[in-house]
Amino acid sequence: MTTRHAISAGRAAPLGATFDGEGVNFAVFSAHATRMVLCLFGEDGREVQRLDLPERDGDVWHGYIAGLRPGQHYGYRAHGPYAPHEGHRFNPNKLLVDPYARALTGHPVWHDALYGYDPARGDLSFSTADSAPYVPRAAVVDPAFSWGADRPPETPVEDSVIYEAHVKGLTRLHPAATPRGKFLGLASDPMLEHLTRLGVTAVELLPVQAFVDDKFLHDKGLTNYWGYQTLGFFAPDPRYLQAGDISEFQQMVARLHAAGIEVILDVVYNHTCEGDERGPTLAFRGLDNASYYRLAPDRRHYVNDTGTGNTVNVDHPMVLRMIMDSLRYWVEVMHVDGFRFDLCATLGRTATGFDPGASFFDAIRQDPVLTRVKLIAEPWDVGPGGYQLGAFPPPFLEWNDRYRDTVRAFWRGDAGQAPRLADRLTGSARQFDHSGRPATSSVNLVTAHDGFTLADVVSYARRHNEANGEGNRDGHGENVSDNMGVEGPTADPAIRAARARRVRNMLATLLLSQGTPMLLAGDEIGNTQSGNNNAYAQDNEIGWVGWDAPDMGLAGFVAALVAFRKAHPILRQKRFLHARERAVDGLPDLFWWREDGAEMTPADWQDGGRRVLCVEKRTAAGTPAYAALETALFLVFNAGPEVRVTLPACPQARRWVCRIDTSASDPAVDRPAAGAVACPAEAVLAFVLEPAP
């Protein structure tokens, strides 16, 4: 092997491969390695040079190569003990991806050489096969980008409407978005026009950090479509780049920002793609298994609170540093506006269980960069005591699955849902009204990537995941869904009309609730996954949003609801509303009414057959008056037959005007009303207290 470059000491910070204009500094962490070798590759993918990193400061190995330029491909080989029972799995025959790599050349090619052991002999054996031909190389990049006048929209949380989307899935079938399935396609003019027409304020992207297609999926001819198997926490996944340049991601962000839309990333720091002791050695395991992962008492096996085979050891200071460095990189260099943390309960685990004061949360909360972006927790994992809805510290928001299930159950007609829906409509105070947390802490959703689409919630009573190749045993077994009489598609006009109305009712409920609403991409045009409620492996027409016959009438309906929410600050209040306990102008700010105009009694709340909920909302105590022309909203949620509802009495020179009616495909109406009014069967009505003419 011919030597082409000389290496000098360099420096221990920053970690990763850093181009300074004259050369590249390499720095990588390993507490237990005995030797760290930098491998350089030519453009043809062949390894051309190996250089020992000459210096070690603490647990950081480093070196500097003058004259090296961006575009150079590299990897590491780590020497040290191969002692699984002691937690060590070093194997210098395995090429390792730099955890701080800003770009990768591709994805692993599944081969037995990827394993640190001989698959025929088990994980205690030692593999001498060279994995370099099958492992993607890291690439040195200069992430500098001409941002011009780019400014983050900094949309207040209370004004946010989040749109969860998959980079490829949203655009792959769109007839006009180009390049389809790529970052730039998501920010193409047709997509920007659609998003701005809806009125959403942020796109929340399923994982875009470099990830791996699981071997068991590869063996079945499937891929990891969703991306929850991270290999590189700093590198955009190559599959979403048109020309392989990370600036494409930056261009996407800049274009979305110019349209007033924030970018939130779904990030997976709770586990990696390397799985358990039977998994491949691609990066972290080979660099320092005992530091990067939480190990079982026998040290050979892994703690598996994530259900994926391994759990990242966030308690280790250098692992926590990697996560924090990654988050800051995406904010400062890539200009993203927030993060949704997958299985966030895992990140708060300590030796004694979940702790809202864990080091991860403390690090986030003191960080001057990260405290100015949006932070959203998925508040559970599969480990003991893993369900932690409402337990996260401010400023975290949380996905609220109880909101989802309650809204679906109420509109399905399940018994006893009225008091539950009342709580959800007012910010799920039972979970979130503590520790100074605002009502916006609840991220309200009726659908997400994990589960049925909204069209499928009203079309299927059971899951249909046969295409996943797991015998239809994967995915949620209980979806709180209803096929309305026929499983799947139907030509019956009555069933189709009933389904469409229920979709409208759930969307209206979502956008009329306190909290932070989140829409699933495609729901606004009637997208279906044909009953698949776990499309994680369906990188095809099942998982992609269908644009061949979009229901643009429904999209207009959603846009009208979003516009109504934006026009009425009462719906966006951060303070929790309280009946009788607080007062504005001597009046409570929350009233629960019966259909006959009387206040709800304990007996009414305990009536399991109650299908109608009427609420009057005012401005919360201590909240400045938002608009002189608005003093209250009166909302009716009727999951039963047509009923007459008595409107609350109006102050002098005021009148009630019905502005939303979901019994029609166009919700926007202008219908002054007084006294007892007819509320159509299975409908939502929204009345605004306005000045009388």
Side-chain angles (χ1 to χ4, degrees):
M1 192 173 293
T2 303
T3 300
R4 296 192 302 158
H5 297 284
I7 191 165
S8 58
R11 59 192 186 278
L15 290 164
T18 306
F19 175 64
D20 64 4
E22 297 181 355
V24 178
N25 189 80
F26 295 90
V28 62
F29 158 73
S30 180
H32 297 101
T34 58
R35 177 186 173 196
M36 189 67 63
V37 179
L38 173 67
C39 305
L40 302 180
F41 291 81
E43 294 181 359
D44 59 1
R46 290 187 303 136
E47 191 172 0
V48 297
Q49 189 174 4
R50 296 183 184 181
L51 304 102
D52 280 43
L53 293 183
E55 294 290 335
R56 177 178 180 176
D57 285 359
D59 295 329
V60 177
W61 304 73
H62 53 92
Y64 181 85
I65 301 179
L68 215 58
R69 309 289 299 175
Q72 175 65 55
H73 296 173
Y74 72 99
Y76 290 109
R77 296 180 187 271
H79 293 253
Y82 189 83
H85 285 301
E86 299 174 13
H88 302 309
R89 295 178 179 269
F90 292 98
N91 187 334
N93 299 301
K94 309 305 164 183
L95 183 72
L96 305 174
V97 173
D98 180 2
Y100 278 70
R102 268 54 172 180
L104 297 181
T105 60
H107 302 91
V109 177
W110 283 106
H111 188 277
D112 283 353
L114 294 179
Y115 299 91
Y117 62 93
D118 181 349
R121 297 166 53 209
D123 73 289
L124 297 181
S125 63
F126 184 80
S127 169
T128 59
D130 184 7
S131 69
Y134 312 101
V135 176
R137 276 80 62 200
V140 177
V141 299
D142 181 356
F145 181 75
S146 180
W147 286 100
D150 179 69
R151 295 290 182 272
E154 295 184 337
T155 304
V157 174
E158 62 268 28
D159 296 337
S160 295
V161 178
I162 299 172
Y163 184 84
E164 191 199 26
H166 187 283
V167 171
K168 182 175 183 179
L170 181 59
T171 62
R172 179 61 181 81
L173 297 178
H174 196 284
T178 56
R180 294 187 295 178
K182 307 295 182 182
F183 291 127
L184 294 178
L186 190 144
S188 61
D189 287 344
M191 290 312 310
L192 293 178
E193 291 168 5
H194 179 72
L195 295 172
T196 53
R197 187 164 54 245
L198 286 178
V200 299
T201 66
V203 291
E204 181 178 306
L205 301 179
L206 269 68
V208 301
Q209 294 174 344
F211 61 90
V212 168
D213 292 322
D214 313 65
K215 187 177 188 302
F216 81 95
L217 293 176
H218 171 268
D219 292 346
K220 292 191 292 186
L222 299 171
T223 61
N224 181 355
Y225 171 57
W226 284 350
Y228 290 91
Q229 290 286 26
T230 310
L231 174 60
F233 294 114
F234 294 77
D237 194 278
R239 73 194 76 198
Y240 302 139
L241 298 171
Q242 176 76 355
D245 194 323
I246 67 170
S247 66
E248 296 175 34
F249 181 92
Q250 295 164 310
Q251 291 178 53
M252 175 195 72
V253 172
R255 286 183 58 81
L256 285 163
H257 281 181
I261 298 171
E262 296 181 314
V263 178
I264 298 171
L265 300 187
D266 193 335
V267 288
V268 189
Y269 295 109
N270 60 82
H271 73 278
T272 78
C273 63
E274 292 184 310
D276 61 17
E277 68 278 0
R278 298 164 295 179
T281 295
L282 302 173
F284 316 95
R285 173 174 286 130
L287 285 167
D288 195 343
N289 185 66
S291 294
Y292 277 107
Y293 295 116
R294 291 177 59 206
L295 302 180
D298 67 0
R299 308 296 287 172
R300 173 186 174 186
H301 298 96
Y302 296 76
V303 172
N304 187 21
D305 290 328
T306 64
T308 64
N310 66 56
T311 303
V312 170
N313 184 18
V314 183
D315 276 348
H316 193 289
M318 292 299 290
V319 178
L320 178 58
R321 174 180 169 182
M322 176 189 71
I323 294 172
M324 298 297 292
D325 286 347
S326 169
L327 292 169
R328 282 189 292 264
Y329 175 80
W330 288 98
V331 174
E332 295 184 304
V333 177
M334 308 300 261
H335 282 207
V336 306
D337 306 283
F339 304 94
R340 180 265 191 189
F341 295 90
D342 178 64
L343 301 185
C344 196
T346 298
L347 301 179
R349 284 188 176 273
T350 66
T352 58
F354 178 82
D355 181 1
S359 57
F360 169 75
F361 298 125
D362 287 348
I364 290 277
R365 296 172 72 191
Q366 62 77 44
D367 190 280
V369 172
L370 300 180
T371 48
R372 60 182 171 85
V373 301
K374 293 178 172 64
L375 304 169
I376 304 171
E378 182 182 40
W380 52 77
D381 64 20
V382 302
Y387 189 77
Q388 294 291 334
L389 179 67
F392 288 73
F396 278 83
L397 316 182
E398 300 177 38
W399 271 27
N400 190 345
D401 62 324
R402 291 185 181 175
Y403 181 95
R404 174 198 66 200
D405 293 347
T406 297
V407 171
R408 292 186 187 185
F410 178 83
W411 289 110
R412 190 171 67 174
D414 292 11
Q417 296 303 312
R420 293 187 178 92
L421 183 65
D423 183 51
R424 308 303 171 218
L425 292 172
T426 50
S428 297
R430 293 181 184 178
Q431 280 73 43
F432 298 106
D433 190 7
H434 63 83
S435 307
R437 303 186 73 183
T440 49
S441 299
S442 175
V443 175
N444 298 332
L445 61 143
V446 290
T447 53
H449 70 274
D450 187 3
F452 279 150
T453 67
L454 191 53
D456 289 355
V457 169
V458 300
S459 302
Y460 294 91
R462 58 187 185 275
R463 64 192 175 200
H464 294 270
N465 298 353
E466 291 81 5
N468 295 351
E470 300 180 39
N472 202 33
R473 294 183 299 272
D474 60 303
H476 297 298
E478 174 49 55
N479 299 279
V480 199
S481 61
D482 183 10
N483 63 21
M484 315 285 280
V486 174
E487 188 75 357
T490 179
D492 186 313
I495 293 177
R496 290 168 64 91
R499 289 176 174 176
R501 180 174 291 198
R502 188 168 296 179
V503 164
R504 295 196 298 271
N505 288 336
M506 287 191 282
L507 287 167
T509 305
L510 175 67
L511 287 160
L512 295 175
S513 298
Q514 267 190 287
T516 305
M518 187 185 84
L519 298 160
L520 173 64
D523 277 353
E524 77 279 9
I525 58 170
N527 183 59
T528 177
Q529 292 178 171
S530 300
N532 192 314
N533 74 352
N534 190 30
Y536 76 103
Q538 300 303 321
D539 189 4
N540 51 44
E541 286 80 0
I542 293 175
W544 302 336
V545 174
W547 291 95
D548 54 332
D551 186 344
M552 297 313 295
L554 181 58
F557 176 93
V558 173
L561 290 173
V562 172
F564 183 84
R565 181 181 183 87
K566 290 183 177 180
H568 298 284
I570 284 178
L571 296 171
R572 298 182 275 110
Q573 295 180 85
K574 296 176 66 175
R575 294 178 182 266
F576 286 95
L577 301 175
H578 295 266
R580 300 184 180 278
E581 296 179 9
R582 295 185 178 181
V584 174
D585 298 330
L587 294 173
D589 51 32
L590 182 66
F591 304 81
W592 297 103
W593 301 109
R594 280 198 323 232
E595 304 91 287
D596 61 3
E599 287 192 65
M600 290 278 284
T601 67
D604 294 322
W605 286 115
Q606 294 164 12
D607 179 5
R610 170 160 288 280
R611 304 287 295 278
V612 182
L613 196 61
C614 305
V615 59
E616 182 182 357
K617 294 184 177 183
R618 297 178 180 270
T619 302
T623 303
Y626 287 99
L629 297 181
E630 177 181 40
T631 57
L633 294 177
F634 181 65
L635 311 175
V636 181
F637 302 87
N638 177 23
E642 180 176 323
V643 63
R644 294 194 69 78
V645 174
T646 300
L647 297 173
C650 288
Q652 188 174 9
R654 291 285 192 271
R655 66 173 182 172
W656 289 109
V657 179
C658 184
R659 293 295 187 186
I660 297 289
D661 181 353
T662 64
S663 66
S665 57
D666 182 354
V669 294
D670 180 5
R671 208 162 59 216
V677 299
C679 177
E682 298 187 19
V684 176
L685 300 181
F687 297 85
V688 182
L689 191 61
E690 299 180 358

